[in-house]
Amino acid sequence: MGVIFLDKLVIKGNTKLKGEVHISGAKNAAVALIPATLLIEGVCTITNVPNISDVKISCEILEQLGSKITWISNNEIIIDNTDINCTDAPLDMTSKFRASYYLIGSLLGRCGRAVVGLPGGCNLGARPIDQHIKGFEALGTKVEIAQGKISASAKNLIGTSIYMDMVSVGATINVMLASVLAKGTTIIENAAKEPHVVDVANFLNTMGADIRGAGTDVIKVNGVQKLQGNASYSVVPDQIEAGTFMLSAVATKGDITIRNCIPEHLDCLTAKIIELGANVEVDNDSIRVWTNKKINSTNIKTQPYPGFPTDLQPQMGVCLAIANGTSIIREDIWDSRFQYTAELNKMGAQITDQGKSAIFQGVKELYGAPVSASDLRAGAALIIAAIVAKGESTLTNLSHIDRGYENIEEKFRNLGANIQRISE
Ligand code: UD1
């Protein structure tokens, strides 16, 4: 009989985090760039790749489709997509993570056909992909969903205007991928403006695409015949990882300098941290956050970029759980993003989950407790809470965290956290 090892983190808290942390490449960009390479009939190099499990699965899926992938260091890969020989992505692997939907746009662009398992990923409530499908169909694709998989095929992809009914990162990127090699011009209106949307457009343009307007709400893709490849591209620094460490400085009343980040991507968070009463100093590619006093309460509403990112909502929730007074968070992107609040309450927080909103009654202290990560960002939030809390906490369900944070416990340990990973 096989043995299953379940990792847990044991964290002894009451620590003020101090020092410097180096931010990795963005998960949400990397998991789009890797399938995007399928559009290149040749070789390209990607650097600043975060070494996380979602990236490893993305690479394994590409290998099954015929890619040759070489890791030349911990964070650099060479991808040779000369011989893509399959358009059916392995269902068991694609259903493991959300970003597998990018295989549809990429394979459609490259081969005119894609079969991909319905995407999995964090359990944040309903995660429809109707806008992706609407975009593919507008470009001339026939899409069928049956038996847990999506089959898409197109004789010719023809550029057109597509209005997104809501701002969707995934649908914007996916339609961009499908239209890069289409005939004519595709216009995506009400496009997402997140940094990783811009990063995918920059990557594709570096490889020979003609995409304009990424970062605004209208993206224009002039179809080209071929992407040349033969170039190297560095993944944008992870906005959410940087924000996670900014908020861990606030929550622990610490002093952290976050290196290798793009401060403009964090303007909204910086403004909120100043409202909380903490200090922020911004340099070219670094941000220092520090405070030594109890923070103020505030209200947060999650929104698409440049609004407050839903992926930093749980980490902000930890700060508000120990702020002076009452704060309200309204979550407008996902239906089930307050699962972490029940775990924080086990640590002494007083949070009332009201569905779309949660009310945070600031408490004096948190106390160590056994808690479990319901999703990736909830996991990051609970690590921060455990570092703040008096006593010892154990955190389980780490596979969520490993999907998206590179060397997370080492990074926290270097800032002074007492954190150990134990396999059982
Ligand atoms: C991406 C991020 C995720 C982040 C989210 C919002 C990746 C791999 N993941 O997810 O970490 O939390 O953006 O910033 O980049 N929607 C529809 N129909 C669609 C598509 C989306 O109704 O076809 C809705 C969703 O239910 C959600 C909202 O639009 O309410 C935004 O979703 P979207 O931006 O697409 O999120 P993802 O790309 O899945």
Side-chain angles (χ1 to χ4, degrees):
M1 215 164 69
V3 178
I4 298 174
F5 289 98
L6 292 176
D7 286 2
K8 64 179 183 187
L9 290 178
V10 178
I11 301 170
K12 294 196 173 85
N14 205 11
T15 309
K16 292 179 194 292
L17 296 177
K18 290 198 170 150
E20 294 191 356
V21 62
H22 182 93
I23 298 307
S24 301
K27 161 194 169 278
N28 286 347
V31 296
L33 296 184
I34 292 166
T37 64
L38 286 167
L39 294 162
I40 303 167
E41 278 185 52
V43 181
C44 69
T45 303
I46 310 182
T47 61
N48 203 32
V49 179
N51 202 319
I52 51 177
S53 68
D54 268 8
V55 160
K56 288 177 196 155
I57 298 179
S58 303
C59 289
E60 283 166 30
I61 293 174
L62 251 65
E63 282 172 331
Q64 298 225 4
L65 300 175
S67 300
K68 293 190 186 66
I69 301 186
T70 316
W71 286 82
I72 46 176
S73 77
N74 237 354
N75 301 104
E76 283 174 287
I77 45 178
I78 296 179
I79 305 187
D80 180 350
N81 283 339
T82 311
D83 298 316
I84 293 304
N85 49 32
C86 177
T87 55
D88 291 26
L91 297 187
D92 54 331
M93 291 167 95
T94 50
S95 55
K96 271 192 195 151
F97 75 124
R98 178 78 183 155
S100 57
Y101 50 43
Y102 293 134
L103 291 161
I104 311 171
S106 306
L107 284 169
L108 264 180
R110 167 88 183 235
C111 312
R113 185 178 182 278
V115 180
V116 176
L118 281 171
C122 278
N123 169 24
L124 306 173
R127 299 189 75 168
I129 55 163
D130 54 301
Q131 298 304 301
H132 303 235
I133 293 171
K134 171 178 161 173
F136 297 144
E137 287 179 339
L139 292 168
T141 308
K142 194 164 167 274
V143 182
E144 272 174 27
I145 301 183
Q147 295 170 335
K149 59 188 179 191
I150 304 164
S151 308
S153 61
K155 277 208 180 90
N156 288 304
L157 292 164
I158 315 272
T160 185
S161 271
I162 298 155
Y163 177 81
M164 296 288 172
D165 296 330
M166 76 277 304
V167 178
S168 160
V169 172
T172 302
I173 293 179
N174 231 344
V175 172
M176 233 160 52
L177 293 170
S179 57
V180 159
L181 299 175
K183 281 202 180 103
T185 298
T186 302
I187 295 172
I188 307 170
E189 291 183 77
N190 200 23
K193 301 191 278 270
E194 268 69 1
H196 42 294
V197 173
V198 179
D199 206 44
V200 176
N202 288 343
F203 167 78
L204 292 167
N205 284 343
T206 304
M207 301 297 156
D210 182 357
I211 303 173
R212 298 163 194 214
T216 74
D217 47 20
V218 181
I219 298 179
K220 195 169 160 189
V221 185
N222 293 315
V224 296
Q225 287 201 331
K226 199 174 175 212
L227 296 192
Q228 300 298 342
N230 276 330
S232 176
Y233 189 83
S234 175
V235 181
V236 69
D238 197 313
Q239 169 209 18
I240 304 300
E241 190 197 10
T244 300
F245 283 104
M246 288 169 76
L247 289 166
S248 62
V250 176
T252 65
K253 296 197 191 119
D255 185 346
I256 304 181
T257 300
I258 292 115
R259 301 247 179 242
N260 185 43
C261 64
I262 299 183
E264 295 76 31
H265 291 168
L266 292 144
D267 278 351
C268 165
L269 179 63
T270 298
K272 274 291 166 191
I273 288 180
I274 291 169
E275 250 180 72
L276 295 176
N279 308 294
V280 184
E281 200 174 82
V282 172
D283 210 338
N284 277 347
D285 65 350
S286 67
I287 304 179
R288 179 180 166 214
V289 180
W290 75 102
T291 185
N292 54 16
K293 44 181 203 212
K294 195 168 169 72
I295 53 179
N296 307 323
S297 55
T298 190
N299 296 328
I300 301 281
K301 187 174 184 301
T302 61
Q303 286 176 324
Y305 187 83
F308 193 92
T310 174
D311 286 356
L312 287 173
Q313 188 261 96
Q315 303 87 315
M316 176 58 98
V318 176
C319 298
L320 300 184
I322 49 170
N324 254 326
T326 305
S327 308
I328 299 175
I329 297 185
R330 185 174 165 85
E331 170 60 52
D332 269 340
I333 310 286
W334 301 119
D335 293 336
S336 306
R337 192 133 226 188
F338 287 123
Q339 294 173 68
Y340 72 95
T341 59
E343 301 303 290
L344 281 186
N345 285 348
K346 289 182 193 162
M347 302 174 89
Q350 286 184 18
I351 309 167
T352 316
D353 173 358
Q354 298 194 323
K356 276 272 168 206
S357 303
I359 302 170
F360 292 69
Q361 187 65 56
V363 295
K364 220 169 143 211
E365 275 162 343
L366 295 177
Y367 298 94
V371 285
S372 169
S374 56
D375 63 75
L376 170 59
R377 308 302 170 185
L382 291 170
I383 293 180
I384 300 172
I387 295 170
V388 171
K390 284 202 164 146
E392 187 176 287
S393 299
T394 49
L395 175 59
T396 49
N397 236 351
L398 302 188
S399 60
H400 289 300
I401 300 173
D402 295 337
R403 286 186 30 236
Y405 285 94
E406 184 174 45
N407 298 334
I408 191 163
E409 63 258 35
E410 196 184 315
K411 288 187 183 186
F412 274 115
R413 210 177 292 127
N414 288 342
L415 293 167
N418 186 332
I419 175 167
Q420 303 295 333
R421 183 179 287 246
I422 295 174
S423 281
E424 286 187 336

